[in-house]
Amino acid sequence: MTTEQRSAAGGRVPFRAPEPRVPDTVSDVLADACRAAVTGVNRAWDTWDRAGLVQTVRTGADGTPTYRIDEIVEDAIAATAAAHGVNLLSEELGLVDRGSGVTMVVDPLDGSANAAAGVPLSCFSGALYVDGELAEGLICWLEQGHCVAARAGEPVPYRTSGATALTGAAVSMLRPKRHAGGDSTDAWLRVAGRAERVRILSSSCLESLLVAEGSIDAFADPGSRTHRLVDLAAAALIVPAAGGAVVDVHGSPLELDTDLTRRWSGVVAATPQLAEELVEAIASSPR
Amino acid sequence: MTTEQRSAAGGRVPFRAPEPRVPDTVSDVLADACRAAVTGVNRAWDTWDRAGLVQTVRTGADGTPTYRIDEIVEDAIAATAAAHGVNLLSEELGLVDRGSGVTMVVDPLDGSANAAAGVPLSCFSGALYVDGELAEGLICWLEQGHCVAARAGEPVPYRTSGATALTGAAVSMLRPKRHAGGDSTDAWLRVAGRAERVRILSSSCLESLLVAEGSIDAFADPGSRTHRLVDLAAAALIVPAAGGAVVDVHGSPLELDTDLTRRWSGVVAATPQLAEELVEAIASSPR
């Protein structure tokens, strides 16, 4: 909806985020950042109506508009990163380099359009890189307080569905759209035509969490190069730890890069086989 | 996903439904039915893994397969209807006629594929008809305990967004699909091409709740005649009470009918004008 239409309603988001259930295994810095995200989003919902939450306050480091709700949540997280003395790479601020060996890569409020409107599907997503290597990931579904976490090389208590075939799978996707490189509608329809269930939840991190826990079989950007590192970094550790795979449709490696205008078309799947089949379905020439 | 793929994972749904926050204005019979739904879905999640939850146990009164999770939740609600001595019209059981002047029309577990898989987007939806007239409606988002309710002729504390135009709107839809009357893909793409935001949440009652509260502007079945009375009855009171409209793409009146194989293509919108524009966009000839 347009801001103009929205302000006619002028309503407040009717729920708050509970205390997150952060697993004991999570490092203090990531756990504190997650709790800061919860405090921040609740403060935003308490202070502003929907029209105020989606006001654009500036352009973020990723090149997209920063909503007021994004800024409030990110500010809370940035204070946590400062207190812990770690570098921060975040969607709106970009890189805050403190010369630490630890870099926290966060999407402060994934699904911020959901969170601003009152669609209860938004996430905090954070990853720790130590000396450039992905060491830890945490995704928290904010409206529920439900978290999944992983540390490099350690086992996790959740598993993907194990699905290996697109036919019959439950797949979430970004919406079909025109984009700089073309139009993802044909690819979207090819995937939807073979999947048993299709959803658009508008929160890539929540959709990755659902793949990790086996609730859906895959999530994909059907080629629109919409994902930034912050959307996929935590999932890139969490989903493989559960038996799945995170790849890019166009074959780009998902690597630590402080340029947040760099984009990927992420495919997050229950198994490497399913990820490969999705890449093939998305990348094949339009019929 | 296929049942075969799912059983390979064999996991349990990792959350439970909290006590629902039923408004004080709701009648005892609807409030008890809602609490029974919560008890039922938690029992189902405690007892069965995902593969067990989606096993088809029979064909329901609406002509679609009854999953085990549907049966468990509906059984809990049916006991409540019996205790209150009201007639029950429910998705799987059909009509249980006790000769009462009150008929409770329920979708015990809307979004049952979500609930069975662990996608936390499912609802209880109930409506009371007194002497054939729609008198009360309640929708509860089960995984959050959040409820909206309305009584005929009484004011409600929530409002739709007030959006009047499809261009720039936030619209949820059923997925595009082939169906008995044709294929809804062209209509789906026409709507998606004009909307600012597009979602597929796979729970019609949750999507109606979000329209009623102003979190999204509209929800539509783009012409696939998928909706049954149980999907729309509560919304047909709740959404107009908040300033919106519930109509059928093909112009059929939404009326109490005990034949659950009867279908509608529901359009639930923030205003009558937006509902009309959506009907026109969906019904126009394919380009």
Side-chain angles (χ1 to χ4, degrees):
Chain A
M1 76 302 305
T2 63
T3 301
E4 192 174 77
Q5 289 181 342
R6 202 34 106 199
S7 55
R12 301 255 166 181
V13 169
F15 46 74
R16 296 295 174 267
E19 186 71 15
R21 300 184 295 282
V22 182
D24 294 340
T25 53
V26 173
S27 65
D28 288 348
V29 56
L30 268 189
D32 286 351
C34 179
R35 291 189 198 102
V38 169
T39 304
V41 78
N42 283 334
R43 184 184 310 142
W45 284 330
D46 284 341
T47 311
W48 297 91
D49 67 4
R50 290 177 171 103
L53 293 169
V54 294
Q55 276 176 5
T56 298
V57 291
R58 56 195 159 91
T59 297
D62 69 338
T64 67
T66 302
Y67 293 156
R68 178 173 282 121
I69 192 171
D70 292 318
E71 184 179 58
I72 294 171
V73 177
E74 189 181 68
D75 284 353
I77 291 169
T80 305
H84 283 273
V86 300
N87 309 329
L88 178 66
L89 181 63
S90 184
E91 185 173 336
E92 319 297 344
L93 282 170
L95 180 68
V96 181
D97 190 347
R98 296 193 168 85
S100 169
V102 177
T103 301
M104 179 162 67
V105 176
V106 298
D107 191 346
L109 187 62
D110 181 69
S112 55
N114 285 344
V119 177
L121 303 173
S122 70
C123 284
F124 164 82
S125 176
L128 284 191
Y129 287 79
V130 179
D131 298 332
E133 294 291 317
L134 185 54
E136 193 181 350
L138 170 67
I139 300 173
C140 175
W141 174 32
L142 292 171
E143 289 87 355
Q144 238 273 353
H146 180 62
C147 296
V148 294
R151 280 176 178 274
E154 296 183 14
V156 293
Y158 47 86
R159 298 298 292 169
T160 72
S161 70
T164 55
L166 176 52
T167 301
V171 181
S172 265
M173 285 190 279
L174 298 187
R175 70 172 289 183
K177 59 182 171 184
R178 283 183 291 277
H179 57 92
D183 189 315
S184 63
T185 302
D186 287 334
W188 196 97
L189 291 173
R190 279 196 300 276
V191 173
R194 289 165 62 187
E196 182 172 322
R197 301 198 178 275
V198 179
R199 297 180 181 90
I200 303 175
L201 304 186
S202 302
S203 166
S204 296
C205 297
L206 177 60
E207 287 160 308
S208 295
L209 179 156
L210 294 172
V211 173
E213 294 194 319
S215 298
I216 61 175
D217 298 311
F219 164 64
D221 170 0
S224 68
R225 297 182 193 270
T226 296
H227 286 135
R228 300 134 314 173
L229 177 66
V230 295
D231 294 309
L232 297 170
L237 191 61
I238 287 168
V239 174
V246 178
V247 300
D248 171 66
V249 167
H250 312 286
S252 287
L254 188 71
E255 59 197 0
L256 181 57
D257 187 327
T258 58
D259 177 6
L260 290 183
T261 64
R262 186 168 163 192
R263 299 303 174 108
W264 287 265
S265 294
V267 171
V268 178
T271 57
Q273 299 96 305
L274 179 54
E276 188 178 338
E277 191 177 348
L278 271 161
V279 168
E280 282 169 13
I282 292 166
S284 52
S285 305
R287 284 179 297 199
Chain B
M1 76 303 308
T2 62
T3 302
E4 191 173 77
Q5 288 181 341
R6 201 35 106 201
S7 54
R12 302 254 166 182
V13 170
F15 46 74
R16 297 294 174 267
E19 186 72 14
R21 300 184 296 281
V22 182
D24 294 341
T25 52
V26 174
S27 65
D28 287 349
V29 55
L30 268 189
D32 286 352
C34 178
R35 292 190 197 101
V38 169
T39 305
V41 77
N42 282 334
R43 183 184 310 142
W45 283 330
D46 284 342
T47 313
W48 297 91
D49 66 4
R50 290 177 171 102
L53 292 169
V54 294
Q55 275 176 4
T56 298
V57 291
R58 57 196 159 88
T59 297
D62 69 337
T64 66
T66 302
Y67 293 156
R68 178 172 281 120
I69 191 171
D70 290 319
E71 185 179 59
I72 293 171
V73 177
E74 190 181 65
D75 284 353
I77 291 169
T80 304
H84 283 273
V86 301
N87 309 329
L88 178 67
L89 181 63
S90 183
E91 186 173 334
E92 319 296 344
L93 281 170
L95 181 68
V96 180
D97 190 347
R98 296 193 169 87
S100 169
V102 177
T103 300
M104 180 162 67
V105 175
V106 299
D107 191 345
L109 187 62
D110 181 70
S112 55
N114 285 345
V119 177
L121 303 173
S122 69
C123 285
F124 164 83
S125 177
L128 284 192
Y129 287 78
V130 178
D131 298 331
E133 295 291 318
L134 185 54
E136 194 181 349
L138 171 66
I139 299 174
C140 175
W141 175 32
L142 293 171
E143 290 87 355
Q144 236 273 353
H146 180 61
C147 296
V148 294
R151 281 176 177 273
E154 297 182 13
V156 294
Y158 45 87
R159 298 300 291 168
T160 71
S161 70
T164 55
L166 175 53
T167 301
V171 181
S172 265
M173 285 189 280
L174 298 187
R175 71 173 287 184
K177 58 181 171 183
R178 282 184 290 277
H179 56 91
D183 189 314
S184 63
T185 303
D186 288 334
W188 195 97
L189 291 173
R190 278 197 299 276
V191 174
R194 288 165 63 188
E196 182 172 322
R197 301 197 179 277
V198 179
R199 297 179 179 91
I200 303 175
L201 305 185
S202 302
S203 166
S204 296
C205 297
L206 177 61
E207 288 159 308
S208 295
L209 179 157
L210 294 172
V211 173
E213 295 195 318
S215 299
I216 62 175
D217 297 312
F219 163 64
D221 170 1
S224 68
R225 297 182 194 271
T226 295
H227 286 135
R228 301 134 313 174
L229 177 65
V230 297
D231 293 309
L232 298 170
L237 192 60
I238 288 168
V239 175
V246 178
V247 300
D248 172 66
V249 168
H250 312 287
S252 288
L254 188 72
E255 59 198 1
L256 180 57
D257 187 328
T258 58
D259 176 6
L260 290 183
T261 63
R262 188 169 161 191
R263 298 303 175 107
W264 287 265
S265 294
V267 172
V268 178
T271 56
Q273 297 96 303
L274 180 54
E276 188 179 338
E277 192 177 347
L278 271 161
V279 167
E280 282 168 13
I282 292 166
S284 54
S285 307
R287 285 177 297 197

Coordinates of all heavy atoms in Angstrom, one line a residue, chain B residues 50-119:
Chain B
R50 N 5.5 -35.0 11.6 CA 4.9 -34.4 10.5 C 4.2 -35.4 9.5 O 3.2 -35.1 8.9 CB 6.0 -33.6 9.7 CG 6.4 -32.3 10.5 CD 7.5 -31.7 9.7 NE 7.9 -30.4 10.2 CZ 9.0 -30.2 10.9 NH1 9.8 -31.2 11.2 NH2 9.3 -28.9 11.3
A51 N 4.9 -36.5 9.3 CA 4.4 -37.5 8.4 C 3.0 -38.0 8.8 O 2.1 -38.2 8.1 CB 5.4 -38.7 8.2
G52 N 2.9 -38.2 10.1 CA 1.6 -38.7 10.7 C 0.5 -37.7 10.6 O -0.6 -38.0 10.4
L53 N 0.9 -36.4 10.8 CA -0.1 -35.3 10.8 C -0.8 -35.2 9.5 O -1.9 -34.8 9.4 CB 0.6 -34.0 11.2 CG 1.1 -33.9 12.7 CD1 2.0 -32.7 12.9 CD2 -0.1 -33.9 13.6
V54 N 0.0 -35.4 8.4 CA -0.6 -35.2 7.0 C -1.1 -36.5 6.4 O -1.5 -36.5 5.3 CB 0.4 -34.6 6.0 CG1 0.7 -33.1 6.5 CG2 1.6 -35.4 5.8
Q55 N -1.2 -37.6 7.2 CA -1.8 -38.8 6.6 C -3.3 -38.5 6.4 O -4.0 -38.0 7.3 CB -1.6 -40.0 7.6 CG -0.3 -40.7 7.3 CD 0.0 -41.8 8.3 OE1 -0.8 -42.1 9.1 NE2 1.2 -42.4 8.2
T56 N -3.8 -38.9 5.2 CA -5.2 -38.8 4.9 C -6.0 -39.9 5.6 O -5.7 -41.1 5.4 CB -5.4 -38.8 3.4 OG1 -4.7 -37.8 2.8 CG2 -6.9 -38.7 3.0
V57 N -6.9 -39.5 6.4 CA -7.7 -40.5 7.2 C -9.0 -40.8 6.5 O -9.6 -41.8 6.8 CB -7.9 -40.0 8.7 CG1 -6.5 -40.1 9.4 CG2 -8.4 -38.6 8.8
R58 N -9.5 -39.8 5.7 CA -10.8 -40.0 5.0 C -11.0 -38.8 4.1 O -10.2 -37.9 4.0 CB -12.0 -40.2 5.9 CG -12.2 -39.1 6.9 CD -13.2 -39.5 8.0 NE -13.0 -38.7 9.2 CZ -13.7 -37.5 9.4 NH1 -14.6 -37.1 8.5 NH2 -13.4 -36.8 10.4
T59 N -12.2 -38.8 3.3 CA -12.5 -37.6 2.6 C -13.6 -36.8 3.4 O -14.5 -37.4 3.8 CB -13.1 -38.0 1.2 OG1 -12.1 -38.7 0.5 CG2 -13.5 -36.8 0.4
G60 N -13.3 -35.5 3.5 CA -14.2 -34.7 4.3 C -15.5 -34.3 3.6 O -15.7 -34.6 2.4
A61 N -16.4 -33.7 4.3 CA -17.7 -33.3 3.7 C -17.5 -32.2 2.6 O -18.4 -32.0 1.8 CB -18.6 -32.7 4.8
D62 N -16.4 -31.5 2.6 CA -16.1 -30.5 1.6 C -15.5 -31.2 0.3 O -15.2 -30.5 -0.6 CB -15.2 -29.5 2.1 CG -13.8 -30.0 2.4 OD1 -13.6 -31.2 2.6 OD2 -12.8 -29.2 2.4
G63 N -15.3 -32.5 0.3 CA -14.8 -33.2 -0.8 C -13.3 -33.3 -0.9 O -12.8 -33.8 -1.9
T64 N -12.6 -32.7 0.0 CA -11.1 -32.8 0.0 C -10.6 -33.7 1.1 O -11.4 -34.1 2.0 CB -10.5 -31.4 0.2 OG1 -10.8 -30.9 1.6 CG2 -11.0 -30.3 -0.7
P65 N -9.4 -34.2 1.0 CA -8.9 -35.1 1.9 C -8.8 -34.6 3.3 O -8.5 -33.4 3.5 CB -7.4 -35.4 1.4 CG -7.4 -35.0 0.0 CD -8.4 -33.9 -0.1
T66 N -9.2 -35.4 4.3 CA -9.0 -35.0 5.7 C -7.7 -35.5 6.3 O -7.5 -36.7 6.3 CB -10.2 -35.6 6.5 OG1 -11.4 -35.2 6.0 CG2 -10.1 -35.3 8.0
Y67 N -6.8 -34.6 6.7 CA -5.6 -35.0 7.3 C -5.9 -35.4 8.7 O -6.9 -35.0 9.3 CB -4.6 -33.8 7.4 CG -4.0 -33.3 6.1 CD1 -3.6 -32.0 6.0 CD2 -3.9 -34.1 5.0 CE1 -3.0 -31.5 4.8 CE2 -3.4 -33.6 3.8 CZ -3.0 -32.3 3.7 OH -2.4 -31.8 2.6
R68 N -5.0 -36.2 9.3 CA -5.1 -36.6 10.7 C -5.2 -35.4 11.6 O -6.0 -35.3 12.5 CB -4.0 -37.5 11.1 CG -4.1 -37.9 12.6 CD -3.1 -38.9 13.0 NE -3.5 -40.3 12.6 CZ -2.8 -41.0 11.7 NH1 -1.6 -40.6 11.2 NH2 -3.2 -42.2 11.4
I69 N -4.4 -34.4 11.3 CA -4.4 -33.2 12.2 C -5.7 -32.4 12.1 O -6.2 -31.9 13.2 CB -3.2 -32.2 11.9 CG1 -3.0 -31.1 12.9 CG2 -3.4 -31.6 10.5 CD1 -1.8 -30.3 12.7
D70 N -6.4 -32.5 11.0 CA -7.7 -31.9 10.8 C -8.7 -32.6 11.7 O -9.6 -32.0 12.4 CB -8.2 -32.0 9.4 CG -7.5 -31.1 8.4 OD1 -7.2 -29.9 8.8 OD2 -7.2 -31.5 7.3
E71 N -8.6 -33.9 11.7 CA -9.6 -34.8 12.4 C -9.4 -34.5 13.9 O -10.4 -34.4 14.6 CB -9.4 -36.2 12.1 CG -10.4 -37.2 12.7 CD -10.1 -38.6 12.3 OE1 -9.0 -39.1 12.6 OE2 -11.0 -39.2 11.7
I72 N -8.2 -34.5 14.4 CA -8.0 -34.3 15.8 C -8.6 -33.0 16.3 O -9.3 -32.9 17.3 CB -6.5 -34.4 16.2 CG1 -6.0 -35.9 15.9 CG2 -6.2 -34.0 17.6 CD1 -4.5 -36.0 16.0
V73 N -8.3 -31.9 15.6 CA -8.8 -30.6 16.0 C -10.3 -30.5 15.9 O -11.0 -30.0 16.8 CB -8.2 -29.5 15.1 CG1 -8.7 -28.1 15.5 CG2 -6.6 -29.5 15.3
E74 N -10.9 -31.1 14.8 CA -12.3 -31.0 14.6 C -13.0 -31.8 15.7 O -14.1 -31.4 16.2 CB -12.7 -31.5 13.2 CG -14.2 -31.3 12.9 CD -14.6 -31.8 11.5 OE1 -14.5 -33.1 11.4 OE2 -14.9 -31.0 10.7
D75 N -12.5 -33.0 16.1 CA -13.1 -33.8 17.1 C -13.2 -33.0 18.4 O -14.2 -33.1 19.1 CB -12.3 -35.1 17.3 CG -12.5 -36.1 16.2 OD1 -13.4 -35.9 15.4 OD2 -11.8 -37.1 16.3
A76 N -12.2 -32.3 18.7 CA -12.2 -31.5 20.0 C -13.3 -30.4 19.9 O -14.0 -30.2 20.9 CB -10.8 -30.8 20.2
I77 N -13.5 -29.8 18.7 CA -14.5 -28.8 18.6 C -15.9 -29.4 18.6 O -16.8 -28.8 19.2 CB -14.2 -28.0 17.3 CG1 -13.0 -27.1 17.4 CG2 -15.4 -27.1 16.9 CD1 -12.5 -26.5 16.1
A78 N -16.0 -30.5 18.0 CA -17.4 -31.2 17.9 C -17.9 -31.5 19.3 O -19.1 -31.4 19.6 CB -17.3 -32.4 17.1
A79 N -17.0 -31.9 20.2 CA -17.4 -32.2 21.6 C -17.9 -30.9 22.2 O -18.9 -30.9 23.0 CB -16.2 -32.7 22.4
T80 N -17.3 -29.8 21.9 CA -17.8 -28.5 22.5 C -19.2 -28.1 22.0 O -20.0 -27.7 22.7 CB -16.8 -27.4 22.1 OG1 -15.5 -27.7 22.5 CG2 -17.2 -26.0 22.7
A81 N -19.4 -28.3 20.6 CA -20.7 -28.0 20.1 C -21.7 -28.9 20.7 O -22.9 -28.5 21.0 CB -20.6 -28.2 18.5
A82 N -21.4 -30.2 20.9 CA -22.3 -31.1 21.6 C -22.7 -30.6 23.0 O -23.9 -30.6 23.4 CB -21.8 -32.5 21.6
A83 N -21.7 -30.2 23.7 CA -21.9 -29.8 25.1 C -22.8 -28.6 25.2 O -23.6 -28.4 26.1 CB -20.5 -29.5 25.8
H84 N -22.7 -27.7 24.1 CA -23.5 -26.5 24.1 C -24.9 -26.7 23.4 O -25.7 -25.8 23.4 CB -22.8 -25.3 23.4 CG -21.7 -24.7 24.3 ND1 -22.0 -23.7 25.1 CD2 -20.4 -25.0 24.5 CE1 -20.9 -23.3 25.8 NE2 -19.9 -24.1 25.4
G85 N -25.0 -27.9 22.8 CA -26.3 -28.2 22.2 C -26.6 -27.5 20.9 O -27.8 -27.3 20.5
V86 N -25.6 -27.0 20.2 CA -25.8 -26.2 19.0 C -25.5 -27.1 17.7 O -24.8 -28.1 17.8 CB -24.9 -24.9 18.9 CG1 -25.2 -24.0 20.0 CG2 -23.4 -25.3 18.8
N87 N -26.1 -26.7 16.6 CA -25.8 -27.4 15.4 C -24.4 -27.1 15.0 O -23.9 -26.0 15.3 CB -26.7 -27.0 14.2 CG -28.2 -27.1 14.6 OD1 -28.6 -27.9 15.4 ND2 -29.0 -26.1 14.0
L88 N -23.7 -28.0 14.3 CA -22.3 -27.7 13.8 C -22.3 -28.0 12.3 O -22.7 -29.0 11.8 CB -21.4 -28.7 14.6 CG -19.9 -28.6 14.2 CD1 -19.3 -27.3 14.6 CD2 -19.1 -29.8 14.8
L89 N -21.6 -27.0 11.6 CA -21.3 -27.2 10.2 C -19.8 -27.1 10.1 O -19.3 -26.0 10.3 CB -22.0 -26.2 9.3 CG -21.8 -26.3 7.8 CD1 -22.3 -27.7 7.3 CD2 -22.5 -25.2 7.1
S90 N -19.1 -28.2 9.8 CA -17.7 -28.1 9.9 C -17.1 -28.8 8.7 O -17.7 -29.7 8.1 CB -17.2 -28.8 11.2 OG -15.8 -28.8 11.3
E91 N -15.8 -28.4 8.3 CA -15.2 -28.8 7.1 C -15.2 -30.3 6.8 O -15.5 -30.7 5.7 CB -13.7 -28.3 7.1 CG -13.0 -28.4 5.9 CD -11.6 -27.8 5.9 OE1 -11.4 -26.8 6.7 OE2 -10.7 -28.2 5.2
E92 N -14.9 -31.1 7.8 CA -14.8 -32.5 7.5 C -16.1 -33.3 7.9 O -16.5 -34.2 7.1 CB -13.6 -33.1 8.4 CG -12.4 -32.2 8.4 CD -11.7 -32.0 7.1 OE1 -12.0 -32.7 6.1 OE2 -10.9 -31.1 7.0
L93 N -16.7 -32.9 9.0 CA -17.9 -33.6 9.4 C -19.2 -33.2 8.6 O -20.1 -34.0 8.5 CB -18.2 -33.3 10.9 CG -17.4 -34.0 12.0 CD1 -17.7 -33.3 13.3 CD2 -17.8 -35.4 12.0
G94 N -19.2 -32.1 8.0 CA -20.4 -31.6 7.4 C -21.4 -31.1 8.5 O -20.9 -30.6 9.5
L95 N -22.7 -31.3 8.3 CA -23.7 -30.8 9.2 C -24.0 -31.8 10.3 O -24.3 -32.9 10.0 CB -25.0 -30.4 8.5 CG -26.1 -29.8 9.4 CD1 -25.7 -28.5 9.9 CD2 -27.4 -29.7 8.6
V96 N -23.9 -31.3 11.5 CA -24.5 -32.1 12.7 C -25.7 -31.3 13.2 O -25.5 -30.3 13.8 CB -23.4 -32.3 13.8 CG1 -24.0 -33.1 14.9 CG2 -22.1 -32.9 13.2
D97 N -26.9 -31.8 12.8 CA -28.1 -31.0 13.1 C -28.7 -31.5 14.4 O -29.2 -32.6 14.5 CB -29.1 -31.2 11.9 CG -30.3 -30.3 12.0 OD1 -30.5 -29.6 13.1 OD2 -31.0 -30.1 11.0
R98 N -28.7 -30.6 15.4 CA -29.3 -30.9 16.7 C -30.7 -30.2 16.8 O -31.2 -30.2 17.9 CB -28.4 -30.5 17.8 CG -27.1 -31.2 17.8 CD -26.3 -31.1 19.1 NE -25.2 -32.0 19.1 CZ -24.0 -31.8 18.6 NH1 -23.8 -30.7 18.0 NH2 -23.1 -32.8 18.6
G99 N -31.2 -29.7 15.7 CA -32.5 -29.0 15.8 C -32.5 -27.7 16.6 O -33.5 -27.1 17.0
S100 N -31.2 -27.1 16.8 CA -31.1 -25.9 17.5 C -31.3 -24.7 16.5 O -31.2 -24.9 15.3 CB -29.7 -25.8 18.1 OG -29.4 -24.5 18.5
G101 N -31.7 -23.5 17.0 CA -31.8 -22.3 16.2 C -30.4 -21.7 15.9 O -30.3 -20.8 15.1
V102 N -29.4 -22.3 16.6 CA -28.0 -21.8 16.5 C -27.2 -22.8 15.7 O -27.1 -24.0 16.1 CB -27.4 -21.5 17.9 CG1 -26.0 -21.0 17.7 CG2 -28.2 -20.5 18.6
T103 N -26.5 -22.3 14.7 CA -25.6 -23.2 13.9 C -24.2 -22.6 14.0 O -24.0 -21.4 13.6 CB -26.0 -23.3 12.5 OG1 -27.3 -23.9 12.4 CG2 -25.1 -24.2 11.7
M104 N -23.2 -23.3 14.5 CA -21.8 -22.9 14.5 C -21.1 -23.4 13.2 O -21.1 -24.6 13.0 CB -21.1 -23.4 15.8 CG -19.7 -23.0 15.8 SD -19.0 -23.1 17.5 CE -19.0 -24.9 17.8
V105 N -20.6 -22.5 12.4 CA -19.9 -22.9 11.2 C -18.5 -22.7 11.4 O -18.0 -21.6 11.7 CB -20.4 -22.0 10.0 CG1 -19.6 -22.3 8.7 CG2 -21.9 -22.1 9.8
V106 N -17.7 -23.8 11.3 CA -16.3 -23.7 11.7 C -15.3 -24.2 10.6 O -15.6 -25.2 10.0 CB -15.9 -24.4 13.0 CG1 -16.7 -23.8 14.2 CG2 -16.1 -25.9 13.0
D107 N -14.2 -23.6 10.5 CA -13.0 -24.2 9.9 C -12.1 -24.5 11.0 O -11.5 -23.6 11.6 CB -12.4 -23.2 8.9 CG -11.3 -23.9 8.0 OD1 -10.9 -25.0 8.4 OD2 -10.9 -23.3 7.0
P108 N -12.1 -25.8 11.5 CA -11.4 -26.1 12.7 C -9.9 -25.7 12.6 O -9.3 -25.2 13.6 CB -11.5 -27.6 12.8 CG -12.7 -28.0 12.0 CD -12.7 -27.0 10.8
L109 N -9.3 -26.0 11.4 CA -7.8 -25.7 11.3 C -7.6 -25.2 9.9 O -7.3 -25.9 9.0 CB -7.1 -27.0 11.6 CG -5.5 -26.9 11.6 CD1 -5.1 -26.0 12.7 CD2 -4.9 -28.2 11.7
D110 N -7.8 -23.9 9.7 CA -7.5 -23.3 8.5 C -6.0 -23.2 8.3 O -5.3 -22.8 9.2 CB -8.1 -21.9 8.4 CG -7.9 -21.2 7.1 OD1 -8.5 -21.6 6.1 OD2 -7.1 -20.2 7.0
G111 N -5.5 -23.5 7.1 CA -4.1 -23.6 6.9 C -3.5 -24.9 7.5 O -2.4 -24.9 8.1
S112 N -4.3 -26.0 7.3 CA -3.8 -27.2 8.0 C -2.5 -27.8 7.4 O -1.7 -28.4 8.1 CB -4.9 -28.3 8.0 OG -5.4 -28.5 6.7
A113 N -2.3 -27.5 6.1 CA -1.0 -27.9 5.5 C 0.2 -27.1 6.2 O 1.2 -27.7 6.5 CB -0.9 -27.7 4.0
N114 N -0.1 -25.9 6.5 CA 0.9 -25.1 7.3 C 1.1 -25.8 8.7 O 2.3 -26.0 9.1 CB 0.5 -23.7 7.5 CG 0.6 -22.8 6.3 OD1 1.3 -23.1 5.3 ND2 0.0 -21.6 6.3
A115 N 0.0 -26.0 9.4 CA 0.1 -26.5 10.7 C 0.8 -27.9 10.8 O 1.5 -28.2 11.7 CB -1.3 -26.6 11.4
A116 N 0.5 -28.7 9.8 CA 1.1 -30.1 9.8 C 2.6 -30.0 9.5 O 3.3 -30.9 10.0 CB 0.3 -30.9 8.7
A117 N 3.0 -29.0 8.7 CA 4.4 -29.0 8.3 C 5.3 -28.3 9.3 O 6.5 -28.5 9.4 CB 4.5 -28.3 6.9
G118 N 4.6 -27.4 10.1 CA 5.4 -26.6 11.0 C 5.6 -25.1 10.5 O 6.5 -24.4 11.0
V119 N 4.8 -24.7 9.5 CA 4.8 -23.3 9.1 C 3.7 -22.6 10.0 O 2.6 -23.0 10.0 CB 4.4 -23.2 7.6 CG1 4.3 -21.7 7.2 CG2 5.4 -23.9 6.8

